[in-house]
Amino acid sequence: MHRNWLSLFLIALMGSAHAQDRPNVVVMLADNVGYGDIGAYGAGEIRGMPTPNIDQLASEGLRFTQFLVEPGCTPSRAALQTGRYSPRAGLGSIIVGGTPNTLQASEVTLGELFKSQGYATSYVGKWHLGASEQSWPTRQGYDQFRVGVIETTDGTLYRDSMQRTGLPEALIAASEPGIWESEANGNLKKIRPYTLDYRRQVEGDIATVAVDYIGQQAKAKEPFFLFVGWTNTHYPSLVSPEFVGKSRSGPYGDAIMELDHRTGQVLDAIKTAGIEDNTIVLWISDNGASPTEGPAESRGGFNGPFRGEVGDALEGSLRVPGMIKWPGKIAPRASNSMVSIHDFFPTLAKIIGADIPKDRPIDGVDQSDFFTGKQANSKRDSLITFIGDEIVAVRWRQFRIYPKQFVSSAGNPSMAGGAGYRAELAGYPSIFNIEQDPREEVNTTAVNGWVIAPYLKLIGEYLRSLEQYPNPKAVKLTEFNR
Amino acid sequence: MHRNWLSLFLIALMGSAHAQDRPNVVVMLADNVGYGDIGAYGAGEIRGMPTPNIDQLASEGLRFTQFLVEPGCTPSRAALQTGRYSPRAGLGSIIVGGTPNTLQASEVTLGELFKSQGYATSYVGKWHLGASEQSWPTRQGYDQFRVGVIETTDGTLYRDSMQRTGLPEALIAASEPGIWESEANGNLKKIRPYTLDYRRQVEGDIATVAVDYIGQQAKAKEPFFLFVGWTNTHYPSLVSPEFVGKSRSGPYGDAIMELDHRTGQVLDAIKTAGIEDNTIVLWISDNGASPTEGPAESRGGFNGPFRGEVGDALEGSLRVPGMIKWPGKIAPRASNSMVSIHDFFPTLAKIIGADIPKDRPIDGVDQSDFFTGKQANSKRDSLITFIGDEIVAVRWRQFRIYPKQFVSSAGNPSMAGGAGYRAELAGYPSIFNIEQDPREEVNTTAVNGWVIAPYLKLIGEYLRSLEQYPNPKAVKLTEFNR
């Protein structure tokens, strides 16, 4: 008996040592924040909207200057949760009212990865991966879903428009977005409508819940994975009263400053809880800003030197701020190595010792050696971009290669980004050098025709993967019967 | 007698102490380098053309993120040398072949300021303030003029074009730009034609002469003022053989990298000479890059987040990289306070104890208290921009106010910047908020009409100054008899 007690004691000790080894992970995902919106990326005071907390995080971690995402909220979030190109999960289009796409039960998410390793897991804030039960965070590996914006913030604008259209209140109320909270059994309960009024309060509530969770988990000495889905700076730019008029750059600037402050609250909670040294913090945006979309008074997002915005497939839609901090493990620095949002799934799996699924293609690559400095550069030098399930752009090294042409604006300021035009090309791809020509104004196909070979190779590899693992049917909103 | 000797000894000592007090000043002026061309401003590796030397200088000094110039080589250089708006010196237009504008003998230059305080003075490289004798650097306060590009680098392209036009060799040779060297009496001697071949060598020669001068002056223990007028990255982008193919961004990237290397040679010379602690280094560009001008193969300059290019009056033409280092006196930092190229004349005068002219308007403001931290922010919050002698833009705080409209490109890629269109406005100025809208796409006159008051006040003050001090006749190339 004594010996058995000793064994149990040793096992408990080892278990606790093991727990100690495993870092906590906090992911903060901003919504529609552009490359030109954050101080560490050349904005801040220069744009009349300082971001000292995010800048501080950037200076303490690895700041990516070539961090690429998918061109929209849902696709990018699907890529982050699954490590896969969004069309593989049928999520290559942004979920909007009435579209049937939703995260499938069969997908393996970050939540499930961490759960498999015994982490406590929590999802706070915006989800946007489908509202059907199989898609709920609580059915996808997260212990809880708090201040749950299961849809997106666009919906806060619909009530007014539906009322003016004369629709009946019952219909309006039924389609009004909600704030959801999970119960012990993982069921979701709508605790309030997500109104324009509450839009001013949601970011503060997300921060409060995240801060409390960090404190509780630190006390419980249980390793945790916390996912914070911020709602800023998605339109409408309605902020908490103390941030109204805080920036020199209008309501959008105020929203950036509230986002920075809320980020600071979470970072402070990690410090206060005494777990800073053993906590990985990943702060990223989901896609480029939307300077021409949303209500006019909410505009102001900026993609810095790059052309394009969320919804098209130009660099401005795809290159966003991103940084990761892990004291003592990831040396503070900036790197221009290519990293994509798909990479965090296999990278975090490696770090926490989880297995990634072997029965499906995983498009992300494990960047842990690059992050921790065992390897100087990223393992990635390419990325395919989709809208729906269609290939609309390929990145290979410094080249952007397009089988389609995105036409921004063309004189109509409400027709850009996701609301922009797309034209068929004559039959040959366009090739831009994003280093030489950040605004993608000079098609270099004539001198860089050789780039078509790696472009076709990348597409060929992807298409071959579909033979064994076909994509689910994609949701299309502008093409039918084809 | 003994007492007299002692007095002389004391005077010599005091003189030497005085010399010790006065810092050496090295100004490096880059040519057509854009806000988006330098690593410290978000370029570097991100654009495939690292600039480690300039970035290092930026990190050791005060880096300006809102440094404004005039919209062209000649106007900006006139403003830098005189501290005055360029039309006051009749230099509001770029000097090109056959234009009569030239720096007048009556102007007081930086060279004369430093000379008045007993400095040794040297001008190396590009001048572009007129080739008539009264305008020579050696007639404007500089002891010598070395590797003298008295005109500009455009001229290297003319021979080929003139030959193909069938002009006689005598005429071509007569109008070919030269490299000039001054003699002991200050006369200039053309030592070689400035050919396309020599264009590859000129930057290295400028660096060599600057490096030698620094070494000699340090040995002589004589305070000096060295002005280095780089020729990069003005087109054509032809670099020294060791820089060909060095960047990932074509010939323009190679030229940026050579400029960075040459800058490093000058900085190294200051260190090697042991005078780093007592030497002020100012590194600035003269105006925005020219992404659509110059031979196609030389293009690649980039004005970062800002629209516009050299020759128009948009922010991309006017906001450029700029930094100043003075160890122990100017704390390393970045500042978004507004500084203009006119300010260095009174600021450097203050630092070296020189008087600035009282018989004419000086538009620059003394920024020494701001630079050295005695005052938190700049003393400047406005700037008027001219082309010829016409007011084409006014900057007040974060607002850009235009009495004219500059139309970039309008579908024709060879019609932008100085080669672009200008349109008359209906009768009301356009107002852009450069913080909120760095690309100047949203005219905010409707909501910011109140900004017209400070705009008119600034213009009124300028116009009143003309009553007492009328401008010389401006050179106009597109308007006559008016």
Side-chain angles (χ1 to χ4, degrees):
Chain A
M1 277 298 273
H2 276 106
R3 216 178 142 196
N4 278 5
W5 276 108
L6 184 65
S7 305
L8 284 174
F9 177 71
L10 284 173
I11 287 163
L13 252 185
M14 286 165 65
S16 127
H18 182 59
Q20 204 61 24
D21 281 339
R22 288 179 304 167
N24 308 302
V25 176
V26 176
V27 173
M28 288 187 262
L29 179 62
D31 200 359
N32 291 10
V33 170
Y35 192 91
D37 282 338
I38 299 296
Y41 290 81
E45 269 302 330
I46 296 170
R47 295 209 46 228
M49 45 189 214
T51 53
N53 294 294
I54 300 169
D55 298 350
Q56 171 82 16
L57 177 65
S59 72
E60 294 170 353
L62 167 54
R63 181 172 70 87
F64 307 118
T65 59
Q66 200 174 181
F67 171 56
L68 302 176
V69 296
E70 295 217 12
C73 294
T74 301
S76 244
R77 283 152 202 266
L80 175 57
Q81 288 294 338
T82 67
R84 288 145 57 81
Y85 283 136
S86 60
R88 299 201 193 272
L91 293 169
S93 296
I94 299 170
I95 297 171
V96 290
T99 54
N101 41 346
T102 200
L103 183 67
Q104 301 296 303
S106 56
E107 291 296 330
V108 177
T109 68
L110 282 179
E112 287 164 330
L113 269 193
F114 279 87
K115 208 65 232 167
S116 77
Q117 295 306 96
Y119 274 67
T121 56
S122 179
Y123 199 106
V124 189
K126 175 170 165 173
W127 178 245
H128 208 181
L129 286 170
S132 71
E133 181 170 352
Q134 64 173 328
S135 312
W136 293 352
T138 47
R139 301 289 179 251
Q140 291 280 353
Y142 294 92
D143 299 336
Q144 50 175 11
F145 183 38
R146 305 291 316 278
V147 198
V149 177
I150 203 155
E151 300 99 343
T152 170
T153 304
D154 308 51
T156 59
L157 295 162
Y158 295 167
R159 167 173 279 280
D160 178 69
S161 167
M162 290 172 94
Q163 277 174 340
R164 289 175 192 273
T165 308
L167 298 187
E169 174 59 27
L171 183 67
I172 297 173
S175 65
E176 185 159 49
I179 299 295
W180 302 76
E181 291 277 344
S182 59
E183 298 173 320
N185 58 4
N187 284 347
L188 299 193
K189 196 173 154 186
K190 184 171 177 173
I191 57 155
R192 64 168 91 233
Y194 187 12
T195 61
L196 282 177
D197 261 359
Y198 186 71
R199 205 264 168 277
R200 295 191 176 279
Q201 192 185 322
V202 63
E203 208 76 337
D205 286 357
I206 291 171
T208 301
V209 165
V211 164
D212 289 350
Y213 184 79
I214 290 165
Q216 285 155 18
Q217 291 304 318
K219 261 189 214 133
K221 297 193 187 305
E222 195 185 6
F224 67 88
F225 172 55
L226 169 63
F227 196 109
V228 182
W230 298 121
T231 65
N232 279 348
T233 49
H234 198 296
Y235 52 84
S237 296
L238 295 172
V239 297
S240 189
E242 66 268 37
F243 292 94
V244 174
K246 190 112 179 172
S247 80
R248 295 192 302 273
S249 273
Y252 188 88
D254 296 348
I256 283 282
M257 289 183 70
E258 176 163 11
L259 172 65
D260 181 72
H261 176 77
R262 300 304 174 198
T263 296
Q265 290 180 303
V266 172
L267 297 174
D268 285 349
I270 294 169
K271 282 188 193 108
T272 305
I275 55 171
E276 190 179 4
D277 285 348
N278 196 36
T279 301
I280 295 175
V281 177
L282 175 65
W283 194 104
I284 55 181
S285 179
D286 60 346
N287 45 246
S290 61
T292 70
E293 293 170 79
E297 66 276 16
S298 290
R299 295 177 193 169
F302 186 54
N303 296 316
F306 305 111
R307 195 156 70 89
E309 60 182 276
V310 54
D312 62 36
L314 303 171
E315 188 81 351
S317 169
L318 300 170
R319 186 174 336 192
V320 296
M323 55 199 77
I324 186 167
K325 173 185 168 184
W326 190 8
K329 297 286 175 61
I330 294 180
R333 64 198 193 275
S335 169
N336 196 47
S337 271
M338 191 189 296
V339 172
S340 91
I341 197 164
H342 313 75
D343 297 344
F344 297 116
F345 183 89
T347 303
L348 291 173
K350 177 68 177 302
I351 289 172
I352 63 170
D355 290 326
I356 60 173
K358 305 236 174 331
D359 61 347
R360 64 195 74 190
I362 300 291
D363 302 293
V365 298
D366 169 16
Q367 301 278 20
S368 55
D369 283 351
F370 161 50
F371 291 178
T372 57
K374 280 185 204 118
Q375 182 176 315
N377 288 305
S378 157
K379 284 182 181 152
R380 170 179 294 283
D381 70 354
S382 67
L383 186 73
I384 302 178
T385 297
F386 305 84
I387 292 181
D389 63 354
E390 197 174 3
I391 294 173
V392 292
V394 172
R395 178 69 180 278
W396 179 73
R397 303 187 66 149
Q398 64 264 58
F399 299 103
R400 296 197 52 78
I401 313 124
Y402 294 93
K404 310 284 170 188
Q405 183 176 19
F406 289 89
V407 185
S408 268
S409 185
N412 181 342
S414 68
M415 299 292 277
Y421 307 125
R422 208 182 74 189
E424 296 301 313
L425 289 166
Y428 303 93
S430 301
I431 303 175
F432 297 86
N433 180 329
I434 198 65
E435 290 180 339
Q436 221 172 338
D437 174 28
R439 289 193 61 79
E440 305 182 47
E441 289 169 337
V442 184
N443 180 1
T444 68
T445 303
V447 289
N448 289 323
W450 61 275
V451 172
I452 294 174
Y455 157 83
L456 290 178
K457 182 163 176 283
L458 287 163
I459 293 175
E461 285 163 3
Y462 168 73
L463 293 177
R464 268 193 302 284
S465 78
L466 297 186
E467 289 166 16
Q468 195 179 350
Y469 303 103
N471 287 344
K473 204 166 154 48
V475 169
K476 297 184 178 192
L477 302 176
T478 56
E479 279 187 315
F480 307 96
N481 301 326
R482 192 177 142 175
Chain B
M1 277 299 274
H2 274 106
R3 218 179 141 195
N4 277 5
W5 274 108
L6 184 64
S7 305
L8 284 173
F9 177 71
L10 283 173
I11 288 163
L13 252 184
M14 286 165 65
S16 126
H18 182 60
Q20 204 62 23
D21 281 338
R22 288 179 304 168
N24 308 303
V25 176
V26 176
V27 174
M28 289 187 262
L29 179 62
D31 200 359
N32 291 10
V33 170
Y35 192 91
D37 281 338
I38 299 296
Y41 290 81
E45 269 302 330
I46 296 170
R47 296 209 45 229
M49 46 189 214
T51 52
N53 294 294
I54 300 169
D55 298 350
Q56 171 82 16
L57 177 65
S59 72
E60 293 170 353
L62 167 54
R63 181 172 70 87
F64 307 118
T65 59
Q66 200 174 180
F67 171 56
L68 302 176
V69 295
E70 294 217 12
C73 293
T74 301
S76 243
R77 283 151 203 266
L80 176 57
Q81 287 294 337
T82 67
R84 288 145 58 80
Y85 283 137
S86 59
R88 299 201 192 271
L91 293 169
S93 296
I94 299 170
I95 297 172
V96 290
T99 54
N101 42 345
T102 200
L103 184 67
Q104 300 296 303
S106 56
E107 291 296 331
V108 177
T109 67
L110 282 179
E112 287 165 329
L113 269 193
F114 279 87
K115 208 65 232 167
S116 77
Q117 294 306 96
Y119 275 67
T121 56
S122 179
Y123 199 106
V124 189
K126 174 170 166 174
W127 178 245
H128 208 180
L129 286 171
S132 71
E133 181 170 352
Q134 64 174 328
S135 312
W136 293 351
T138 47
R139 301 289 179 251
Q140 292 280 353
Y142 294 92
D143 299 336
Q144 50 176 9
F145 183 38
R146 305 291 316 278
V147 198
V149 177
I150 203 155
E151 300 100 343
T152 171
T153 304
D154 308 52
T156 59
L157 295 162
Y158 295 168
R159 167 173 279 280
D160 178 69
S161 167
M162 290 172 95
Q163 277 175 340
R164 289 175 193 272
T165 308
L167 299 186
E169 174 59 27
L171 183 67
I172 297 173
S175 65
E176 185 158 51
I179 299 296
W180 302 76
E181 290 278 343
S182 60
E183 298 172 323
N185 58 5
N187 284 347
L188 300 193
K189 196 172 154 185
K190 184 169 175 173
I191 57 155
R192 63 167 93 233
Y194 187 11
T195 61
L196 283 176
D197 260 359
Y198 185 71
R199 205 263 167 280
R200 295 192 175 278
Q201 191 185 323
V202 63
E203 208 76 337
D205 286 356
I206 290 171
T208 300
V209 165
V211 164
D212 288 350
Y213 183 79
I214 290 165
Q216 285 155 19
Q217 292 304 317
K219 261 189 214 134
K221 297 192 187 305
E222 195 185 6
F224 67 89
F225 172 55
L226 170 63
F227 196 109
V228 182
W230 298 121
T231 65
N232 280 348
T233 49
H234 198 296
Y235 51 83
S237 296
L238 295 171
V239 296
S240 188
E242 64 269 37
F243 292 94
V244 174
K246 191 111 178 171
S247 80
R248 294 193 301 274
S249 272
Y252 188 87
D254 296 348
I256 283 282
M257 290 183 70
E258 176 163 11
L259 172 65
D260 181 72
H261 176 77
R262 301 304 174 198
T263 296
Q265 289 181 304
V266 172
L267 297 174
D268 285 349
I270 295 169
K271 283 191 192 106
T272 305
I275 55 171
E276 190 180 5
D277 285 348
N278 196 37
T279 300
I280 296 175
V281 177
L282 175 66
W283 194 104
I284 55 180
S285 179
D286 60 347
N287 46 245
S290 61
T292 69
E293 293 170 78
E297 66 276 16
S298 289
R299 294 177 193 168
F302 187 54
N303 296 316
F306 305 112
R307 195 156 68 89
E309 59 181 276
V310 54
D312 62 36
L314 303 170
E315 188 81 351
S317 169
L318 299 170
R319 186 175 334 193
V320 296
M323 55 199 77
I324 186 166
K325 173 185 168 184
W326 190 8
K329 297 286 175 61
I330 295 180
R333 64 198 193 274
S335 170
N336 196 47
S337 271
M338 191 189 295
V339 172
S340 91
I341 197 163
H342 313 75
D343 297 344
F344 296 117
F345 183 89
T347 303
L348 291 172
K350 178 69 177 303
I351 289 173
I352 64 170
D355 289 326
I356 59 172
K358 305 236 174 328
D359 62 347
R360 65 196 73 191
I362 300 290
D363 302 293
V365 297
D366 169 15
Q367 300 278 20
S368 56
D369 283 352
F370 161 50
F371 290 179
T372 57
K374 280 184 205 117
Q375 182 176 315
N377 287 306
S378 158
K379 284 182 181 153
R380 170 180 293 284
D381 69 354
S382 66
L383 185 74
I384 303 178
T385 296
F386 305 84
I387 292 181
D389 63 354
E390 197 174 4
I391 295 173
V392 292
V394 172
R395 178 68 179 279
W396 178 73
R397 302 187 67 149
Q398 64 264 57
F399 299 103
R400 298 197 51 78
I401 314 125
Y402 294 93
K404 311 284 171 187
Q405 183 176 18
F406 289 89
V407 185
S408 268
S409 185
N412 180 343
S414 68
M415 299 292 278
Y421 307 125
R422 208 183 73 189
E424 295 301 313
L425 289 165
Y428 302 93
S430 302
I431 303 175
F432 297 86
N433 180 330
I434 198 65
E435 290 180 339
Q436 221 171 338
D437 174 28
R439 290 193 61 79
E440 305 181 49
E441 289 169 338
V442 184
N443 180 2
T444 68
T445 303
V447 289
N448 289 323
W450 61 276
V451 172
I452 293 173
Y455 157 83
L456 290 178
K457 181 162 176 284
L458 287 163
I459 292 174
E461 286 163 2
Y462 168 73
L463 293 177
R464 269 194 301 285
S465 78
L466 296 186
E467 289 166 16
Q468 195 180 349
Y469 304 103
N471 287 343
K473 204 166 153 47
V475 169
K476 297 185 179 193
L477 302 176
T478 56
E479 278 187 315
F480 308 96
N481 302 327
R482 191 178 143 175

